[in-house]
Amino acid sequence: MVGAPYSGEVTTTESSSGVEELASVVIRFAGDSGDGMQLTGDRFTQESAVFGNDIATLPNFPAEIRAPQGTLPGVSSFQLHLADHDILTPGDTPDVLVAMNPAALKVNLGDLRRGGTIIVDTHDFTDRNLSKAGYASNPLEDGSLDDYVVHAIDLTGMTVASVEEFDLGRKDAARSKNMFALGLVSWMYGRETDTTAAFISARFAAAPDVRDANIAALTAGYNFGETTEAFGVRYEIGPAPMRTGTYRSITGNLALAYGIVASGVTSGLPVFLGSYPITPASDILHELSKHKRFGVTTFQAEDEIAGIGAALGASFGGALGFTTTSGPGVSLKSETIGLAVMLELPLVVVCVQRGGPSTGLPTKTEQADLLQAMFGRNGEAPVPIVAPQSPADCFDAALEAARIAVTYRTPVILLSDGYLANGSEPWLVPDVEALPAIEPRFATAPQNGDGPFQPYARDAATLARPWAVPGVAGLEHRIGGLEKADGSGDISYDPDNHDLMVRLRQEKVDRVAQDVGPTFVDDPDGDARVLVIGWGSSFGPIGAACRAVRASGISVAQAHLRHLNPFPADLGDVLQRYDRVLVPEMNLGQLRMLLRAKYLVDAVGHNRMRGLPLHVDELVEVITTLEKETR
Amino acid sequence: MTIELELTAKDFSSDQEVRWCPGCGDYAILKAVQGFLPDLGLRRENIVFISGIGCAARFPYYLDTYGMHSIHGRAPAIATGLATTRSDLSVWVVTGDGDALSIGGNHLIHAMRRNVNMTILLFNNRIYGLTKGQYSPTSEPGKVTKSTPMGSVDHPFNPVTLALGAEATFVARTVDSDRKHLTSVLSAAAAHRGTALVEILQNCPIFNDGAFDAVKKPDTKDDAIIPLVEGEPIRFGTDGRRGVVRDPEGGVRVVDVDDVGEDALLVHRVGLADPSTAFALSQLSGAGVLQQTPIGIFRQVDRPTYDDLAREQLETAGADTPDTKAALGALLAGHDTWTVA
């Protein structure tokens, strides 16, 4: 029985019809990396989203494409939190675990809520597979799962039986077991399988046998739930109240790619993406490659450096240049980012952060590239930095990065991360007409009539220099990495000029703050003594933790930074208003260091580098303890 | 189509003081380029020179076109982005042996294999000049420099061999001091659609003076220069006594014409699809101190360019259709939406 689920915010009502109403549930699908768990989770997400639940997801997979079958490192999982109310995280502890083999059970059991439900495919619980997973005895028989509600079912066997009529070998037949599992879970939670059937039809249109087998397995799984008495009860999670409008489910990487496409439309500029494949950013390259119709050129470069170099060359020519990468790629691009700072040309560098240093944890999340984004260049090379706070927010963050880049003629770094990239949530599809316009304002003539063109003369408000693209007669000019004379842009080694130019470049970036509104502080009680401040994907866990703390009767304020450089103009004042400032981060305290340095505030950190989102329960404890210290 | 613009070399000279060392071969190349640019029939504003780092990389500052003096080795990558997004521009890369073949080697070979529309002028002085005299990736083995006091132990790159190995569609070699030859080769390179690589043997009077004396001194140049002329037998030396024939062991070799007869000489063809013969010719230069070398166009073939193909894909996808906002709305909504009323 699925009892009191996640974070105690939920009531369970049992009705006489064998249907229990739940406020939310966290389900984790886990299997071998070849078992199709990502697809299964993705489809259940889609079914739940279309049903109207609020959703948050956490895919988790190994860096190896196909790690040895049945082993612990080969386990891939997809966690999904669905609710009848507004939720912020994929959940700390699953209520339900679907485990397709012994290794999946072994790896994920520790996370499962005690008393939670386990649906397990018994087919692979052979001596050989048990020993591969490190089990000395069969956990289905030795009593070690007594604290859980276990449904041990031969999912594979039933799948093979359900697809008998199709012309498939046994191995191929068994491959549909993920759809059988999905059908069963769909029945348990009253989800329609129509959209998944339509999805399968489209995806396997070219292979009718595979298509039909998958649909048959899906239906068989659903029917098994209905006919067997093993489950006894179904669960119902009603739709979540949401703002009116049209919604879809979207991952961070997809939203980011759409934001890039949209920035081309709202600026009227051709988009050029120079990129080199790297996990977890490659999906943005893949997605943008589909959208040539919007004037988007994608260039898969020979290396990270060429990716950004080509993007900068395209920007010089009047396109909107983007490069997408992860932390190791940013390291390689550093010199070119410095050149872009010197050239003062628009450029957006998207860093989808992953665990580091070096190759680190390619498929896991972290937010440890903030200081690299701030300082990872030679000389004084300030770069504006923006960060999205949720998967759907990646769309707005991309538009904001492009706006700053074009308005201030500067490279901008956008810091997403692996969790945002692959996680998904409902997205209120924006009205295209309402998207903010981006104004390129190309230079068309020298500033002083017939006088020589001044490529480094500046706009009074933004300090931006003219964007003068080749092809315009009378604006021929040379730019480069050597220091420029103020105004003329000629090479200058003059000491005072260099001092001035260093300050001007900094001042220009500082002025980005003039377009940024005041820091939004969520303090519903108005008397909080502790401020929790974060950035990036930790918004969800921090927000959920603050809600839980408030539910226990303790006031706490939350602020979350979209702009990491420059900070909002009022941030120093905001920080001073609280007795204690807590900065939870998936790093050793990078934002905390910046806040302490700039505002002399004695901020404390909560820092975890586990390759996973911060745990809400841990955060609740940290906030509560800190709050008690203020009394 | 050539446009009569009545521009002169002066129109292409910027107001910046030229600051190479006295006697540097770069002066001659700059003069030649300023001299022939007006003949290309291109508008000044449609020409872009992009360079990396090194002595040669100062080149763009001295031309009154659009220009970018970028970072070490990256000019071909930057030029690729520019050429791909701007079909209306004539894009030039100015680079040196260190810039192009050491730190930027990767970008160079990939630009050439993609065949992006750009003309690459590789000033080869076989030394690092701007950093004051270290051996370069084209220096002869045993080169004694500040960083190799006992002589370098590296085998050098032959830029033409490398370009042919990367299947560049236009590959040529010329000499800084031969303005006529330089101009003719650069004009052909400028007219080529795709990546054109021109190695220019360029003397550094400070750190590697005399590296190319064999091809410059009146008493040796006839025997040192092997002129490559389309459709002509490859023949050189005083009174054309020497020539090039196919070597039955593979490759080509230099012979006395009297020994083999005129008809046995290899006739130069720049348009062969197979780069093998051009490759073999490039090997006549040897790796050591320059004694003899072919000069001229090694290869000149047609192959679709990266940037043309990329632009074609945009067109095929309908990038010029006007209802972009409506299409964006449809894209953002996708297929699986639900509505909250």
Side-chain angles (χ1 to χ4, degrees), chain B residues 69 84 93 106 109 129 172 238 253 261 286 340:
Chain B
H69 176 208
T84 303
V93 167
N106 200 30
I109 58 174
T238 315
R253 65 191 166 98
V340 175

Side-chain angles (χ1 to χ4, degrees), chain B residues 22 37 105 170 200 337:
Chain B
L37 279 180
F170 185 104
I200 305 172
T337 58

Side-chain angles (χ1 to χ4, degrees), chain A residues 38 41-42 45 55-62 77-80 90 249-256 278-284 286 352-354 361-365 390-392 394 416-425 537 611 613:
Chain A
Q38 301 305 319
D42 211 43
T45 302
I55 50 169
T57 70
L58 174 65
N60 192 357
F61 42 85
S77 71
F78 188 105
Q79 184 167 314
L80 161 71
S249 157
I250 198 159
T251 65
N253 270 350
L254 186 58
L256 219 159
I278 185 169
T279 302
S282 303
D283 282 340
I284 305 172
H286 304 161
V352 185
Q353 300 164 98
R354 66 190 214 188
L361 303 170
T363 60
K364 313 293 181 194
T365 197
S390 73
C394 288
S416 178
D417 67 32
Y419 164 58
L420 296 177
N422 294 311
S424 56
E425 65 174 346
S537 73

